[in-house]
Amino acid sequence: MKQVRYALLTTITFLVFFVVAFQQQLTNVVASSLTPLQIAEYINHERLAKDIPPLALNPQLSQAAYLKGKDMLDKNYWAHFGPHNETPWQFILKSGYDYVYAGENLAKGFSSAYDIVSAWMASPKHRENVLEPEFKDIGVAVLRGNLRGEYVYLIVALFGATIADRPLQRKAIPALAIIFPEDGAILKEGIVNIRAKGVNLNPKFVHLYVDKVFIKKLQPLKKEEFVSELSLPSGTHTIAIRATGQRHEPLLDFVKVAVANAAKVEKQKDYYKSGISVSLKDNLLKLDTPNVLSFKTLYMRVDNVIYKIARFPYTVELPYVPQKDLSLHFVVETASGTQLEFDKVVSVDRSSVLAGRIGFINLSGPYKTVFVGLSAMFFLLSFVALIIALKGSHHLIWDVLAADLLYILVLVLLNVGFVTV
């Protein structure tokens, strides 16, 4: 019995230790993705995207943000103004920041800097503070504690500008951007050349990250330009670069890309290419598939005209009857998001073309009337010429034969394509 009791106590002790350790580990993981620097970086990313100068991290504003957050936790309130009329501005002045413009954004319950800034950008009032051109500095504090019975992360961001701030000259505004690859690009597996541009950086280098893991420090290849080779496995990846501006503005830019296995891409391309059957009869181009092809979007280009194909079978009525083989260019986005491009050639039925030119199958309106009338007239003249020849009168036969030859010449020209109707 004692052994069972000891075993139970040991198990319970182990479980308690495991839960505490797991909670502490989870706290460390969440905290590592939620820092004042990261929040400031995402804010500056939004400002630079709108051609607005980035904000510098200011230690005095950061101290004021911490004091404001601590005051909310101590007095258990969640508002811009405290229960005793405490204002954000008194914390700013207490920190020694002599402001002429100031603003405050609050957030709680978030676990990543990206989600916080995205929420602020979705709120008109918070968005105004993030994108206000008058603000030059920012201070951010991240606190964790019990607020109104809920154990949460509390985020305070204070924006400001002092009397000493002068309008920045355009050339002094720092900027950071990834030039290649573009956001949302689909790349083939292997070596990728990363190209970025950084303006007015201090120090003059950038840090390269892939999926939040630091890769290397990049020195400028030439003025303001950074280049690096990067090997990416298949899957979805976030490529990010970080740097600092002349006034210690934290700068960030990032792109999300999908990397596909090269052999897999070619296999998928062959599957879709062979899975689409194309036929041409006269001016009707018909597409079908013996298989069930799944795709997000499918486009076909014919003679610089683009058709969006929603389902099969699909028919295109061309404005003309093709006289030679048609080249079709397809662009398909698969259900997994991979974009594939391939070409198919559809052959023209030569017998149909010949019948169309000589038998008037594809002629209509006045053209058909004229050519049918000429055919009947020349047939009648040929018959009359034959009767005249049999009766021994040969003086008109050469004129009739010349007219017949002219008609035959017209048919030959139509057949070889010199004359089209």
Side-chain angles (χ1 to χ4, degrees):
M1 192 66 182
K2 288 184 178 180
Q3 291 178 343
V4 174
R5 189 160 51 245
Y6 289 149
L8 286 173
L9 287 174
T10 303
T11 303
I12 293 171
T13 303
F14 174 77
L15 288 175
V16 170
F17 175 78
F18 176 77
V19 169
V20 172
F22 178 76
Q23 183 180 16
Q24 182 64 37
Q25 182 66 24
L26 181 62
T27 299
N28 292 338
V29 171
V30 172
S32 67
S33 64
L34 183 56
T35 66
L37 177 61
Q38 289 176 334
I39 294 171
E41 286 177 337
Y42 280 111
I43 287 174
N44 282 340
H45 182 263
E46 295 292 344
R47 291 173 69 90
L48 287 172
K50 302 294 187 297
D51 203 27
I52 302 170
L55 303 173
L57 260 179
N58 184 280
Q60 293 171 315
L61 282 181
S62 295
Q63 175 66 14
Y66 171 77
L67 293 175
K68 171 61 187 290
K70 186 175 183 301
D71 191 66
M72 285 194 289
L73 290 175
D74 291 342
K75 298 176 182 177
N76 200 30
Y77 72 94
W78 170 249
H80 292 293
F81 298 91
H84 305 296
N85 295 322
E86 297 90 344
T87 70
W89 331 128
Q90 69 186 58
F91 298 102
I92 295 177
L93 292 175
K94 190 182 294 185
S95 70
Y97 187 86
D98 189 15
Y99 73 91
V100 288
Y101 302 104
E104 180 187 61
N105 279 4
L106 301 176
K108 69 180 176 71
F110 290 91
S111 58
S112 78
Y114 176 81
D115 291 339
I116 292 169
V117 178
S118 296
W120 284 344
M121 291 298 292
S123 168
K125 291 294 183 182
H126 294 88
R127 179 187 175 94
E128 285 181 13
N129 281 339
V130 171
L131 300 180
E132 174 56 60
E134 295 290 347
F135 293 147
K136 309 300 179 188
D137 303 308
I138 186 173
V140 184
V142 178
L143 298 89
R144 191 164 189 257
N146 193 312
L147 183 67
R148 296 180 176 179
E150 187 181 5
Y151 204 63
V152 296
Y153 280 98
L154 189 64
I155 297 92
V156 181
L158 293 175
F159 305 82
T162 66
I163 298 175
D165 286 322
R166 296 286 184 271
L168 291 176
Q169 298 294 325
R170 181 64 203 162
K171 64 181 181 179
I173 296 176
L176 184 68
I178 296 177
I179 308 301
F180 182 86
E182 296 181 352
D183 189 41
I186 299 175
L187 309 173
K188 288 186 178 181
E189 189 177 37
I191 303 298
V192 179
N193 285 317
I194 307 297
R195 290 190 290 113
K197 187 173 183 180
V199 180
N200 295 311
L201 304 182
N202 183 24
K204 295 185 179 300
F205 57 78
V206 303
H207 291 101
L208 175 65
Y209 294 78
V210 175
D211 300 327
K212 299 182 180 180
V213 177
F214 174 72
I215 302 300
K216 64 174 75 171
K217 182 170 71 174
L218 304 181
Q219 300 288 349
L221 183 65
K222 55 183 181 180
K223 186 181 179 182
E224 301 177 348
E225 189 172 323
F226 301 85
V227 178
S228 176
E229 286 189 345
L230 195 61
S231 179
L232 294 175
S234 58
T236 303
H237 303 282
T238 299
I239 303 171
I241 53 174
R242 287 184 163 94
T244 308
Q246 298 283 357
R247 299 175 60 248
H248 308 292
E249 303 96 329
L251 305 175
L252 166 73
D253 194 24
F254 60 94
V255 295
K256 294 183 179 181
V257 299
V259 180
N261 181 275
K264 184 179 179 181
V265 169
E266 292 301 322
K267 187 176 180 180
Q268 281 185 310
K269 189 184 296 185
D270 292 339
Y271 172 75
Y272 280 91
K273 186 175 182 179
S274 60
I276 299 176
S277 61
V278 186
S279 61
L280 178 66
K281 183 171 179 60
D282 302 333
N283 66 328
L284 293 180
L285 185 64
K286 296 182 179 180
L287 290 83
D288 207 346
T289 174
N291 307 318
V292 179
L293 293 180
S294 59
F295 53 86
K296 286 185 179 179
T297 57
L298 176 59
Y299 295 91
M300 177 183 67
R301 188 178 72 236
V302 185
D303 296 335
N304 295 322
V305 178
I306 297 176
Y307 301 89
K308 184 177 181 180
I309 302 171
R311 62 181 64 88
F312 292 102
Y314 186 83
T315 302
V316 175
E317 186 175 355
L318 300 175
Y320 62 95
V321 177
Q323 308 299 319
K324 57 182 180 179
D325 294 348
L326 277 181
S327 178
L328 313 176
H329 183 73
F330 291 88
V331 178
V332 56
E333 183 181 0
T334 67
S336 61
T338 304
Q339 183 170 303
L340 307 170
E341 297 188 36
F342 55 88
D343 296 305
K344 288 181 75 75
V345 176
V346 56
S347 300
V348 174
D349 186 351
R350 299 297 178 186
S351 62
S352 175
V353 172
L354 182 62
R357 284 168 173 167
I358 298 180
F360 316 116
I361 291 175
N362 294 305
L363 298 178
S364 60
Y367 296 107
K368 184 172 182 178
T369 303
V370 170
F371 276 90
V372 171
L374 285 175
S375 297
M377 182 184 69
F378 281 118
F379 176 77
L380 182 61
L381 287 175
S382 299
F383 181 74
V384 171
L386 180 61
I387 298 298
I388 293 173
L390 291 175
K391 290 185 177 182
S393 300
H394 305 290
H395 63 281
L396 293 177
I397 193 170
W398 296 112
D399 295 332
V400 175
L401 289 176
D404 284 341
L405 289 173
L406 178 62
Y407 178 62
I408 292 171
L409 177 62
V410 170
L411 292 181
V412 170
L413 290 176
L414 285 171
N415 187 44
V416 299
F418 291 114
V419 178
T420 59
V421 290

